[in-house]
Amino acid sequence: GEWITLDISEQESWYRKTQPKPLADRSRRPVSLKMDSTVHSLVECKDFKSAGSDEIGNKAFHLGIMSEVSEVGKFKVPESAFAIPFYFYLKHIDRPETRRLIRLLDNAGEMEQDSLKNLLKAVRREIGRTPVDPLLVAEVKSRLLRSEFKTFRFRSSTNAEDAAGFSGAGLYDSKTVDLADSVKTIERAILKVWSSLWSFEAFQERRFFHFSDENLAMGILVHRSFPKEEANGVLITKNLYRENSYLDGMTINVQLGDVSVVQPPQGVVCDQLVIIHELEESNFSRIVEYIANSNLTQGKTVLNEEEVKRLERAAKIIRDYFFEKGLRNKKLFEFDLVLDIEFKFQGENRELYIKQVRFFNE
């Protein structure tokens, strides 16, 4: 594949879609989120970029960007991907009682914590007991039945996460749908993801960063699930152990199978390694340094050297697309941006998948 190049006007449009707004100063008025509810049907992965984050959320939009560079980067993105746009969530909550409860949250600053928790619980309960539009369920089911896969992940894709200055990591729910399971149904997954927008933790985090709820919306990113992970992890496109090294290093946390590196079981340690790029005079050196080793691999590293290089190359290409190719006009941003990349090595062939890309916020 070849690099996708953008002229200045395209760069500015691309940047506006990628970053709805830089984080506002906490002493200023609330940040108004961007939201578009004009898309009334499911959006296929190939159309994520054209749909934009204002219609399907940042998570789905970023996956669309990754699908464009996956061939040259020699990695995969999750198959059978599509998005349920904001329109369906907004239609679902457009009921008198749901609207009344959400309006009461305008006075959250005057409430005791227990009262706020109870009100948010009432909002979630109201969303959860309102039936999903059967036409939407049928459309989603038809789309899933066309896939070769049988289990799927329904993931949050809001306009209040995965943005520069605010990642929102872990605030919202993801759910699994199994077409052969009477419990893990499409409607249950949709309702759980939608209602998670109003968890106490998510609400408090948005208030701390002064986000307005006026245009808040939840889209859903759907793709195949990964039942046979050989390894999973997170790569940061920065050497976190050295100052002033945004572009000359990477930090990787990776673990065996599907054991989480973000919220590991008690006593479990993952492989932690740093890739250091140094240029002294005319000499370039690449150093891989292990900070910690997994206690699940009997003394072996989770990834071999070839897999580390494959992951590093994919991360470089993703980073270059975001910055060197897509953002040549440096006036478009005033701060250094670092990427947080979630990856998996899947199946017996240990194929590299890039699952998610967000802006890393320290």
Side-chain angles (χ1 to χ4, degrees):
E2 296 182 356
W3 284 112
I4 299 169
T5 58
L6 306 175
D7 62 27
I8 293 301
S9 62
E10 288 176 316
Q11 289 175 30
E12 292 172 348
S13 174
W14 186 93
Y15 181 78
R16 284 195 297 272
K17 282 186 175 182
T18 306
Q19 303 186 72
K21 266 193 179 181
L23 185 63
D25 187 287
R26 294 187 190 121
S27 64
R28 295 163 56 187
R29 63 185 180 182
V31 178
S32 179
L33 298 167
K34 292 186 177 181
M35 180 270 294
D36 186 331
S37 61
T38 59
V39 177
H40 297 177
S41 59
L42 304 182
V43 181
E44 297 297 325
C45 185
K46 64 182 178 61
D47 299 318
F48 282 1
K49 187 180 174 186
S50 59
S53 59
D54 297 347
E55 295 170 344
I56 60 175
N58 295 322
K59 190 177 295 177
F61 176 68
H62 288 167
L63 187 70
I65 293 173
M66 293 307 96
S67 69
E68 290 198 347
V69 297
S70 60
E71 183 177 351
V72 67
K74 296 184 178 179
F75 62 85
K76 292 185 174 183
V77 296
E79 295 92 345
S80 299
F82 63 93
I84 302 174
F86 292 159
Y87 164 80
F88 293 99
Y89 165 79
L90 296 170
K91 179 182 176 183
H92 186 82
I93 66 168
D94 191 19
R95 289 169 171 77
E97 180 61 12
T98 312
R99 287 294 185 190
R100 184 187 72 82
L101 291 170
I102 291 174
R103 282 196 301 270
L104 291 175
L105 291 167
D106 291 341
N107 300 316
E110 303 170 8
M111 295 181 187
E112 296 289 337
Q113 187 175 103
D114 287 345
S115 297
L116 176 58
K117 286 182 176 180
N118 288 334
L119 177 55
L120 287 165
K121 184 177 180 179
V123 173
R124 295 195 302 274
R125 183 170 58 245
E126 191 65 25
I127 292 173
R129 71 185 181 188
T130 302
V132 178
D133 183 346
L135 293 178
L136 172 60
V137 175
E139 187 178 1
V140 171
K141 184 176 182 179
S142 175
R143 176 63 180 78
L144 298 184
L145 287 172
R146 296 199 301 269
S147 170
E148 63 182 290
F149 302 99
K150 301 303 178 186
T151 58
F152 304 87
R153 290 293 282 173
F154 282 51
R155 306 173 63 202
S156 68
S157 184
T158 76
N159 53 359
E161 63 180 323
D162 292 6
F166 184 82
S167 71
L171 293 182
Y172 312 110
D173 286 348
S174 296
K175 292 297 175 182
T176 295
V177 166
D178 185 339
L179 295 176
D181 192 318
S182 61
V183 176
K184 297 180 179 179
T185 64
I186 293 169
E187 183 167 25
R188 174 182 177 274
I190 291 174
L191 291 174
K192 289 291 186 180
V193 175
W194 278 347
S195 62
S196 72
L197 191 62
W198 300 102
S199 73
F200 176 73
E201 294 75 15
F203 183 85
Q204 289 290 77
E205 191 79 359
R206 291 195 302 268
R207 281 295 186 271
F208 180 76
F209 284 95
H210 280 208
F211 280 105
S212 169
D213 289 335
E214 183 178 359
N215 292 324
L216 181 66
M218 172 71 82
I220 299 179
L221 169 62
V222 181
H223 58 66
R224 55 81 55 102
S225 65
F226 290 86
K228 296 182 180 179
E229 296 177 37
E230 298 296 326
N232 82 99
V234 175
L235 180 150
I236 309 298
T237 59
K238 172 188 174 182
N239 180 352
L240 297 178
Y241 297 92
R242 178 181 296 182
E243 293 296 326
N244 303 318
S245 58
Y246 283 86
L247 298 179
D248 67 350
M250 298 182 182
T251 304
I252 301 171
N253 285 4
V254 60
Q255 184 57 283
L256 189 67
D258 62 356
V259 180
S260 174
V261 300
V262 179
Q263 296 179 320
Q266 186 174 2
V268 173
V269 179
C270 66
D271 271 5
Q272 300 176 41
L273 56 146
V274 176
I275 300 174
I276 303 167
H277 298 154
E278 293 185 339
L279 181 62
E280 296 181 2
E281 297 180 353
S282 61
N283 297 319
F284 173 81
S285 65
R286 172 185 177 275
I287 302 169
V288 178
E289 179 181 351
Y290 277 79
I291 308 299
N293 295 103
S294 170
N295 55 2
L296 302 180
T297 56
Q298 289 77 48
K300 298 179 180 179
T301 59
V302 176
L303 303 180
N304 61 39
E305 176 61 15
E306 186 276 330
E307 290 169 338
V308 172
K309 287 182 178 179
R310 203 187 334 163
L311 177 60
E312 179 186 8
R313 181 179 187 276
K316 284 181 180 179
I317 288 170
I318 293 169
R319 184 190 64 196
D320 288 349
Y321 183 86
F322 266 80
F323 305 116
E324 296 173 14
K325 301 298 180 181
L327 296 175
R328 288 180 178 173
N329 183 355
K330 301 303 181 183
K331 294 181 181 179
L332 291 175
F333 55 90
E334 299 177 354
F335 45 86
D336 290 305
L337 293 177
V338 179
L339 296 181
D340 175 334
I341 300 173
E342 292 187 24
F343 63 88
K344 298 179 183 295
F345 283 84
Q346 169 75 9
E348 293 180 1
N349 295 329
R350 296 176 71 92
E351 294 178 296
L352 172 60
Y353 279 81
I354 301 299
K355 177 185 173 185
Q356 180 171 327
V357 175
R358 63 163 64 99
F359 298 106
F360 176 70
N361 303 299
E362 293 187 87

